[in-house]
Structures are given as structure tokens and as C-alpha cells.
Amino acid sequence: MKLNGVATRSLWFEEDGRSIGIFDQRRLPWAVEKIRISTAEQARNAIAEMATRGAPLIGAAGACGLAMALTDDSSDISLDSAWELLVNARPTAVNLRWALERVRTLVAPLPPSERAVTAWKEARDICDEDAAMNHAIGVAGLELIRKIAERKNGNPVNILTHCNAGWLATIDWGTATAPIYMAHDAGIPVHVWVDETRPRNQGALTAFELGGHGVPNSYIADNAGGLFMQQGQVDMVIVGTDRVTANGDVCNKIGTCLKALAAKAADIPFYVALPSSTYDVQTPDGAAVPIEERTQDEVRFLTGPDENGVMRRIALTTSPARNPAFDITPADLVTAYITDKGVLNGPRELHEALSA
Ligand code: MRU
């Protein structure tokens, strides 16, 4: 996708062959700042501190971090300790473990001298495959949007999304946003209700992305979506996910489940977009997913630039706070899963298509 008119991915490989570049997503959308990452520790910190974020993207960054560790030291000890360091950077999105496991399984049997080059190639493949999977999700989801557009008499299809499941959360295209970008590019009128997604306001990233691509959108308080659904102002919901468990339960950004319940009550289709790498057949159901609990200060303070561009922190309360970062949407609230293997109706189809 494009950032300020220039085609880019959210993670790129530097020419030195041992570093990557990312956007500092803590500064977006206010400032476009790039960070160079050259060590496993730096990769771990970028993931944990959310300079880079989104399930597929932290998987790709983790794989690169492992390749960096092997570039410095390709021994078994280095492989194991870097794997451990990186896998614990964030607990919820399964893509991180999936990508690290993929690299480790490949390189562990190799002589140490061959490990780094193989790990870097695998990290690149993970990135390219993620972009391709998201493109496939877009192609599948486009048809769902097209069908709704056919009964809208030229009026925009109103799509509600939560968090940022856009290209900034993946290598390219995004998951929930890929069908939206494709619909817009195909000339289908769309309008997106963007949940702000407190406390970290990833919705601001989604609005930034959509605006950059010319997709009409409105930024709404997290609590507004239910009303718009009751008023017939939402035609469909599309969200991304950090992990879909074997039974089809969906772990995604905190607040997603409330939107699914509201959609069910208003008889609005609720779609979950995911690449195969986000399906976790080893975790039986949502109750078994480790939910990340972040610092209470993310809830107790608002952070953003003032009119001079200086970052400020404003206190909202002195009460103690809780800050679970994700929640679980039960499978029976999901209309269908939009995947790189097509639109899958229900956990059984999901399992058959993605558990191979
Ligand atoms: O805490 P974040 O910003 O990493 O959470 C991201 C989300 O919850 C996204 O919706 C999810 O990763 C899907 S990304 C394609």
C-alpha cells in the first residue's frame, strides 16, 4: 500500500543483509518515523513496546529477530535463547510463535554455518506469503461487499471495523481492510466506521490508512457502533484477529466481542478476516488463550500531540485501572471467516481448510 503516496510495506529488509526497518507505530499517525532493527533484543523491544504491532507483523518481525540472533551467533544456545526472548515479547497473537517455530524447525537441523542465511530467507518468505495471503483475503471478501452493494442502489456499503487490521498490522494490504481497499478500487462505494479502540487508539491508524487510500471513513467512539447498528447505519462488520482457536473462537482487540454481540442483536453480519497463520489448531477454545494485560497507565492517561506537535500525557483518573488488551468472541457470533482459502462458513469449514 502507499504511505504519503509512496508504495511501501510495513517492514522492509535493509541492504546490509542483517537489519530490517519498521515504522514507529507509537508515533503514527502524527509523525512518520522509521526505526532500524539489527539485533534480537531490539526486535523483542519493538514488539513488546508496540513500535511494531498487529498479529501478522509481529510474527514477521519475530522471524527477522531470530535471523539477527543467528547472524551474530549461530550456535544452538543462541537459537534457543533468542527464540525464548522473542516468543515472550507478547503473549496473545499466535503469529509470533507460529513464525518463530517455522524458522526454528527449519534451521535447527542445519550446521550452524548455514543457519543465518536460511533464517533470513525464511523470514523474507514469511513476509511475502503474508502479503499474498492478505491479497487473497481481499479477493474473497470483495465478493461479500459486492453482494451487499447490489442491494444498496448506489449508496455506500457501511462497514464497521475495530482496532487496526490494516496494512500497518500486516506486511501489506491488511486482513480486515484488504476487502475494503479492493471494493473501493473496484468502484464500489464504501464507507467505514472506524472504532477509536481505546486505550491505544489503533483506530487512528486505520483512519490514517483508509484516508491515505481515499476510502471514506468516520472515526467513532468505541461505544457508538451499537447505536449505528440499531439505526441501520452498518451493513457489515469486518474485524481482524490475533488468534482463532480450534473451535472457531476469535481472540481480537478488547471491545471486539461487544461489537459481535451488538451485531447479532441487530442481525448484521459479523466477519472475521484471517490468514492461515492466525489459526491455532493447538488451542482448543478461547478460554485457553493467554490474554495480554498491559500497564494500567494506558487507560489512566491519554497521550497525543498538542497543537505544537509536542507529545503530552493527560491524566483521566487516579483510580487503579485494568487493561486487558484482547477479548474472546465466541464462534457462534461469527457469520463467516474471510481467509486466504476463501470465505469459510463456520468452525468446521475453517478447520477443514486451515488445519492442514
Ligand atoms: O495490540 P495490537 O495493536 O497488536 O492488536 C492488533 C489487533 O488486535 C488486530 O486487530 C489484529 O492483530 C489483527 S491484525 C491483521
Side-chain angles (χ1 to χ4, degrees), residues 11 26 28 51 85 126 168 173 191 216 223 225 243 251 260-261 276 330 333 335 337:
L11 179 158
R26 297 164 301 187
L28 286 172
L85 176 80
I126 285 171
L168 286 164
W173 286 102
H191 164 262
N223 297 327
R243 185 187 308 225
C251 180
L261 287 164
S276 305
L333 297 180
T335 306
Y337 305 88

Side-chain angles (χ1 to χ4, degrees), residues 286-304:
V289 176
I291 302 288
E292 177 180 13
E293 175 105 18
R294 298 186 64 83
T295 167
Q296 59 175 333
D297 284 354
E298 289 182 352
V299 178
R300 286 160 21 114
F301 294 87
L302 287 177
T303 308

Side-chain angles (χ1 to χ4, degrees), residues 304-329:
D306 65 14
E307 62 276 13
N308 300 314
V310 178
M311 291 301 277
R312 299 271 183 217
R313 225 162 76 114
I314 299 165
L316 299 171
T317 181
T318 53
S319 286
R322 289 287 306 273
N323 187 15
F326 300 94
D327 67 18
I328 304 296
T329 299

